[in-house]
Amino acid sequence: MPAKNTDPDAHASRRDTLAQLRLALREQQVVLDSAGVGIVFIKHRTIIRCNQRFAQIYGYAEAADILGSTSVSLYPDQAAFYTLGKAAFTVMAQGLAYKSEVQMKRRGGELFWAHLTGKLVNPADTNEGSIWIIEDISEQKAAQAQLQSVLTEQNLILDNAMVGIVFLRGRTLTRCNKSFENLLGYEAGELHGSSSRKWYLTEQEWRDAARQWQEPFAAGQAFEGEVLLRKKDGSAIHCEVRAKAIDPSHPDAGSIWITMDITARKKAETELLQARAGLEKLVELRTQELRSTVMALEKKAVEQKEAEAHIQRLAHFDALTGLPNRLLLNDRCQHALSVAQRGQQPVALIFLDLDHFKNINDSLGHRVGDEVLVELATRLKATVREQDTVSRLGGDEFILLLPNTDAVGAASVAKKLLQAALLPIQIEQHELTVTPSIGIALYPKDGHDLDTLSKCADAAMYRAKGEGRNSYRFYTPEIQAHSDRTLLLDNALRRALARDQLELHYQPQISMATGQTVGAEALLRWHHPELGDVSPTEFIPISESSGLILPIGEWVIRTAVKQLAAWIERGMAPITIAVNLSAVQFRHADLPKLISTILADAALAPQLLELELTEGVAMTHPQGAIAVMDDLHLRGVRMSIDDFGTGYSSLSYLKRFQVYKLKIDQSFVRDITEDPDDKAIVGAIISMANSLGLKTIAEGVETEGQLEFLRTRGCDEVQGYYLSRPLPAEAFEHFVQNQASGTPPKQR
């Protein structure tokens, strides 16, 4: 046994060492507790020690609450943990610090972006653990994405504006768009850095211009005016300008100028004034010649009109509005067409129908509806000329006959009619607004009698209703062909389900990470025995307007769900099945309950069904959309936004939508290898989706270049002809089997 050490100096040395160790540990703990970043010591994938900031970042109240937890729990999933571990080990094993920006997971499951810095305690022995520094950079990421979006929008506005836009600082051009260069005849970039004196005709005019805009600029107001500018070739050009200081309190910040060429307008105004003066003189001379004749005839005409008025009103006028009826309209139309034929003059026929007028009768009663029609009749008569005829056919349908009126004149009248109808109508305590849909037919192009012209105008009116209402359309042969085709398809579509003419094709959705099929989009196909293959873009709108979309849509969902269940039963690995929802289906009150019933009947897990909703439908009634999405989400069904980027989505609503995926519209994918705007848009969508924790899928991928671009930008999934066309059920199953076995797919 070794002799006991009784040396006093040795004892004192050990006490000093222990005291220094305790002091170092206390100092270390103070540093950890005061650090603005998270610091953690991990050993054998277990959290051994951390500071308070680290616990707060991951959602724990105290550092002690997270001690002993596995470090795997800090990551979104095991795959993310192993991916980072593999990358970090290569660096840290060399004694270096590993740094990266990755997504992590808080205690409650919320994902966030973090900046990691890690280093091994002893690179020679990894068992001694590692130390990591974590910074929460979620807000920084979101701010970067928002800034990029703003810059992208600003550049799009500048590059696509039809007017000239100029940025001046100290009366020197710092930036302008192509429209301004074209306006003055300069090549791209030729004006950069030049003085604004360059496009003024004289030195004095340049100096006078400065005095005109200095006062409004200093007051924070815009300068507006017409100026004469000098083009590169020395010629003058009339321009209308609007300008404003970027920051009135800091003149050095410069100003923005918007310039528009009004040379043609100024010339037209001058010619119009000259023509008007000549016309007024001619009218005055003619008026004097006719005055005596008119006065002689007036007395006789008044007497004759009074005698005829009573008789005509009984047989030829509408009892409610006092307007001509169909009989009188026919007489006037025959006369107008006869005159037009002799004088080779045009005649326009306008068919006007009120939008949703039935709602007024149903809600407020026919008495209120009749008063609305009387007021509208008064406005229509006030809008047209005396020689024009405004007639009522019945209900809320009106026909206007406009002699000696061409397409330009008819369009002008149609615009006035739309404006007149929009003015509020006060009926008792009700303030009502109605909108019309208008169709226009022209003689002799569209017909030579009232029946033919009214039929054409009626078809054009229905085209206006179909394209959004509250507008007008001219008749074209294509409209009639479309009307006939629509009627034919509507009748055939009503029997398509019963006659087993509908079929689903499935387009594979491929994971960019694995290259495997992870989903299928169900696409409706219709093969008619006589009409052949009918395009979905043609029959889907018809089914929506006729109400057939509800039974057809239910059939599509039920068939797609049953097909996926059958594939899984035959051994296929589970994938998602994506089905498009129309606006009519989405707004149906029983949709969530119907979906649950269909899934239960097929014994399919809800998370395998993905319902695709277009961006426009979701944003039409966002509050209602949120309620339906929440209901479907609670039932386990996934939702995605289709055709993303083609509409307008508010980020505040997008964050509240229960969706897990954004589908990038093929119109952006088509030119991403060449078009810088499309590259920026697609990159911004993917970045935004990542920041919101959403997946992305790009449709319409047709080239290797498109696929590679999407891969480099971090898109999650793709679909398109480059990978596979939509396939019948059996062919799709073979596609997935061949993919799983490593056999290259035969169809693209």
Side-chain angles (χ1 to χ4, degrees), residues 556-608:
V556 169
I557 298 173
R558 194 176 295 277
T559 303
V561 166
K562 288 174 61 178
Q563 182 62 70
L564 178 58
W567 283 334
I568 294 175
E569 187 177 354
R570 289 197 291 270
M572 181 186 292
I575 61 174
T576 58
I577 191 78
V579 180
N580 289 281
L581 281 182
S582 74
V584 178
Q585 288 175 279
F586 185 69
R587 294 169 189 153
H588 198 276
D590 293 332
L591 175 66
K593 182 178 178 181
L594 173 65
I595 297 298
S596 293
T597 301
I598 292 174
L599 290 168
D601 291 344
L604 188 71
Q607 63 269 23
L608 296 182

Side-chain angles (χ1 to χ4, degrees), residues 600-615:
D601 291 344
L604 188 71
Q607 63 269 23
L608 296 182
L609 176 61
E610 175 184 333
L611 298 178
E612 293 187 359
L613 189 68
T614 64
E615 186 180 9

Side-chain angles (χ1 to χ4, degrees), residues 219-250:
Q221 300 173 350
F223 167 74
E224 298 182 27
E226 294 181 6
V227 297
L228 204 61
L229 298 184
R230 178 184 182 276
K231 300 179 69 172
K232 182 180 180 181
D233 60 8
S235 61
I237 176 175
H238 281 278
C239 291
E240 183 176 271
V241 299
R242 179 180 175 87
K244 194 170 185 180
I246 296 175
D247 185 352
S249 60
H250 294 86

Side-chain angles (χ1 to χ4, degrees), residues 417-436:
L417 295 174
L418 292 172
Q419 294 172 356
L422 272 178
L423 296 174
I425 300 175
Q426 189 71 40
I427 308 293
E428 298 174 353
Q429 73 274 25
H430 308 291
E431 186 178 77
L432 306 174
T433 301
V434 294
T435 61

Side-chain angles (χ1 to χ4, degrees), residues 241-382:
V241 299
R242 179 180 175 87
K244 194 170 185 180
I246 296 175
D247 185 352
S249 60
H250 294 86
D252 293 342
S255 57
I256 300 176
W257 295 72
I258 299 176
T259 309
M260 182 171 62
D261 182 3
I262 60 169
T263 302
R265 191 184 81 189
K266 298 293 287 186
K267 181 180 178 182
E269 288 175 352
T270 302
E271 293 175 350
L272 179 61
L273 289 174
Q274 295 172 348
R276 182 177 296 171
L279 180 60
E280 288 176 352
K281 184 176 181 180
L282 183 62
V283 169
E284 184 179 357
L285 292 174
R286 182 59 175 164
T287 300
Q288 292 175 356
E289 294 174 359
L290 294 176
R291 183 173 291 122
S292 59
T293 303
V294 171
M295 291 177 63
L297 294 175
E298 276 182 348
K299 184 177 180 180
K300 183 177 180 179
V302 169
E303 293 174 351
Q304 183 176 353
K305 285 182 180 179
E306 288 176 349
E308 295 174 350
H310 181 68
I311 300 174
Q312 289 187 353
R313 189 160 300 281
L314 294 176
H316 297 89
F317 291 84
D318 174 56
L320 176 65
T321 62
L323 295 178
N325 59 16
R326 178 80 182 210
L327 182 62
L328 181 55
L329 174 66
N330 187 57
D331 290 342
R332 293 188 179 181
C333 187
Q334 289 180 5
H335 174 71
L337 295 179
S338 177
V339 172
Q341 185 179 17
R342 291 194 300 270
Q344 294 184 341
Q345 299 171 346
V347 175
L349 191 80
I350 293 180
F351 197 111
L352 183 149
D353 181 271
L354 295 182
D355 301 326
H356 306 301
F357 181 71
K358 184 175 181 295
N359 295 341
I360 295 179
N361 284 332
D362 292 345
S363 302
L364 304 177
H366 286 274
R367 184 180 61 81
V368 174
D370 287 347
E371 292 190 36
V372 170
L373 294 175
V374 171
E375 173 61 21
L376 180 65
T378 302
R379 295 182 183 184
L380 297 183
K381 289 174 61 178

Side-chain angles (χ1 to χ4, degrees), residues 520-542:
E521 182 178 6
L523 300 169
L524 184 59
R525 298 292 184 262
W526 178 21
H527 181 79
H528 190 276
E530 286 82 35
L531 302 175
D533 291 324
V534 184
S535 170
T537 59
E538 189 175 18
F539 71 79
I540 291 296
I542 296 175

Side-chain angles (χ1 to χ4, degrees), residues 485-505:
R485 172 78 171 176
T486 298
L487 180 61
L488 176 66
L489 292 180
D490 182 76
N491 291 328
L493 193 58
R494 295 179 184 277
R495 298 182 290 272
L497 267 179
R499 296 180 178 179
D500 201 26
Q501 295 172 358
L502 300 181
E503 180 185 11
L504 291 185
H505 284 193

Side-chain angles (χ1 to χ4, degrees), residues 168 171-174 190-199:
L168 295 180
R171 306 197 78 180
T172 297
L173 186 144
T174 59
E190 194 173 352
L191 287 171
H192 185 74
S194 62
S195 169
S196 59
R197 169 66 183 87
K198 195 169 187 176
W199 53 82

